[in-house]
Structure formats: structure tokens, C-alpha cells
């Protein structure tokens, strides 16, 4: 192919070649998103390669049927990776009228809840995913949010019941027990979590 980025020249073959390339990168994004081992690095790489086709060549190629779903997938990847500068830069490239797309709006709602520290609402929103492609990334986001909630618990309570911690973290009590095993300052005794604050705090 001779008409792929950074070549912006239109030729008799450019639309066909660029459409095939766009479809190829979309497929690569889908495959990367479904594999927990590649959902970070490979997805980010393929999504970056796809951007010229979604923005620079949009007038020539039109909109792919996967556009909203894939753009939201990239936004979610940036959000989970805490690359907020890149997240907001990509949002600026997306026209306002397109942000009402169900996929893009879903990720915007997640970002809003995350920035406001509304973790319980975020976990509820997480259950309403409009696409199965987001599963691996949402699992990572849920883990990150639970760490944030646990940190808030540590800062707010010298001790807390297992049931109360489970409710705050939106998990089962057994999940809190499993989580506590990896925390040196979480001591569980008689359904109560104590010693939440480290000595150097």
C-alpha cells in the first residue's frame, strides 16, 4: 500500500487501501481487548495507528460502524492506565455531537465518577457496560477503584467491621478477607479489621 499515513494524498486507490487498513487495525484492537495479556500495550499501539483513519481521513472514508465502540475502548484504556492527559487530548478530537454516542458517553460517565471520587457509583456504572470488549479493562478499573476505597478506609477508620468494609468496597466479605491477606496493616479478628493505620502515618 502506498497511500497509508503519513501520506495524505488522494489517489484512485487511496480510499480502498485506507479502508482495508482501518478495518485491519479495528480487528487488531478487538483482539487485543479480548486478551488480558495484551489489553494494555497492544491495544494502545493499535489504537494509535487507527487514529489517522478516524480523524485525518474521515472525510474520505466516512465513519466505520465500529468507530464509537473503538474510540470508547481507547478512552477506557487511557482512563484505566491513568493517562489522563492523553484521555483529555483524545476527547478534544471527538466532536461534541459525537460524545452522546452510547459507548463514548459510558466512558465519560466512568471518568466523571472517578474524578469526583464517587467510587460506589462508578462500580455500579461498571456493571452497565454497553460492550463486552470492555470486560478486561473494566476488571482492571474495578481493582484500581477498590484499592482507592481501601486507602480511604485506612485514612478514615482505625478499625472497621468486615461487613462494613465489604459494603464500602462493593465486594463479598470473603473478598475482603482475601484482600486483607496482602495488606500488612489489615489485621482481621472476630469479623473486625483492625490496625488499619501504619505506625508511620
Amino acid at each position: 500500500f502506498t497511500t497509508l499515513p503519513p501520506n495524505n494524498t488522494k489517489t484512485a486507490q487511496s480510499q480502498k487501501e485506507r479502508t482495508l487498513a482501518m478495518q485491519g487495525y479495528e480487528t487488531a484492537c478487538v483482539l487485543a481487548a479480548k486478551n488480558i495479556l495484551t489489553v494494555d500495550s497492544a491495544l494502545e499501539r493499535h489504537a494509535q495507528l487507527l487514529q489517522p483513519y478516524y480523524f485525518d481521513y474521515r472525510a474520505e472514508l466516512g465513519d466505520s460502524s465500529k468507530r464509537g465502540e473503538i474510540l470508547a475502548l481507547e478512552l477506557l484504556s487511557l482512563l484505566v492506565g491513568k493517562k489522563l492527559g492523553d484521555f483529555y487530548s483524545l476527547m478534544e478530537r471527538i466532536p461534541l455531537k459525537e460524545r452522546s454516542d452510547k459507548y463514548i458517553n459510558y466512558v465519560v460517565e466512568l471518568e466523571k465518577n472517578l474524578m469526583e471520587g464517587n467510587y460506589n457509583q462508578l462500580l455500579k456504572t461498571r456493571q452497565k457496560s454497553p460492550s463486552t470488549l470492555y470486560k478486561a479493562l473494566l476488571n482492571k478499573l474495578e481493582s484500581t477503584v477498590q484499592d482507592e476505597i481501601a486507602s480511604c478506609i485506612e485514612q478514615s477508620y482505625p478499625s472497621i467491621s468486615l461487613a462494613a468494609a465489604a459494603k464500602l468496597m462493593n465486594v463479598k466479605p470473603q473478598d475482603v478477607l482475601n484482600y486483607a491477606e496482602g495488606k500488612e496493616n489489615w489485621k482481621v479478628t472476630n469479623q473486625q479489621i483492625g490496625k488499619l493505620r501504619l505506625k508511620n502515618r
Side-chain angles (χ1 to χ4, degrees):
F1 289 0
T2 60
T3 62
L4 304 187
N7 186 348
N8 289 320
T9 304
K10 289 185 179 181
T11 70
Q13 293 296 315
S14 62
Q15 184 178 36
K16 179 180 179 180
E17 291 181 357
R18 291 166 183 170
T19 298
L20 288 173
M22 179 177 68
Q23 293 171 346
Y25 288 130
E26 285 179 333
T27 299
C29 285
V30 169
L31 293 175
K34 291 181 177 180
N35 187 339
I36 190 63
L37 298 177
T38 62
V39 73
D40 292 321
S41 58
L43 174 57
E44 183 176 350
R45 181 171 65 253
H46 297 316
Q48 283 290 326
L49 291 169
L50 186 56
Q51 281 199 21
Y53 302 92
Y54 278 177
F55 297 104
D56 302 335
Y57 300 149
R58 188 177 188 184
E60 178 185 12
L61 304 181
D63 288 345
S64 161
S65 61
K66 294 184 175 67
R67 176 184 170 87
E69 187 176 19
I70 298 295
L71 279 176
L73 178 65
E74 183 178 5
L75 286 167
L76 181 59
S77 176
L78 294 172
L79 185 64
V80 172
K82 299 181 180 180
K83 298 179 179 180
L84 295 181
D86 293 335
F87 177 94
Y88 296 130
S89 293
L90 180 54
M91 280 299 300
E92 287 179 0
R93 298 194 72 184
I94 299 173
L96 285 175
K97 64 180 181 180
E98 202 174 341
R99 297 179 193 180
S100 60
D101 172 270
K102 68 176 182 179
Y103 300 108
I104 295 172
N105 184 63
Y106 173 76
V107 181
V108 169
E109 283 297 311
L110 289 175
E111 184 270 341
K112 178 183 177 182
N113 291 328
L114 186 63
M115 293 302 101
E116 292 177 349
N118 194 349
Y119 300 131
N120 286 331
Q121 183 59 42
L122 188 149
L123 292 175
K124 290 178 182 178
T125 303
R126 176 245 187 279
Q127 303 297 329
K128 301 176 182 178
S129 173
S131 173
T132 57
L133 284 183
Y134 306 158
K135 182 177 180 179
L137 285 170
L138 288 172
N139 287 341
K140 288 194 171 191
L141 180 62
E142 183 171 9
S143 178
T144 298
V145 167
Q146 287 172 352
D147 284 340
E148 292 291 339
I149 295 173
S151 178
C152 290
I153 289 173
E154 290 177 2
Q155 295 172 26
S156 303
Y157 304 96
S159 65
I160 190 172
S161 71
L162 190 64
K167 184 176 181 179
L168 287 171
M169 296 175 69
N170 200 33
V171 296
K172 297 177 181 178
Q174 182 59 48
D175 293 326
V176 178
L177 284 174
N178 296 337
Y179 185 88
E181 290 178 0
K183 303 283 287 184
E184 61 176 296
N185 56 319
W186 285 41
K187 178 71 174 179
V188 181
T189 306
N190 296 325
Q191 301 297 305
Q192 191 77 11
I193 306 172
K195 296 183 179 181
L196 287 174
R197 295 174 181 166
L198 292 174
K199 293 180 180 179
N200 62 356
R201 288 189 175 179

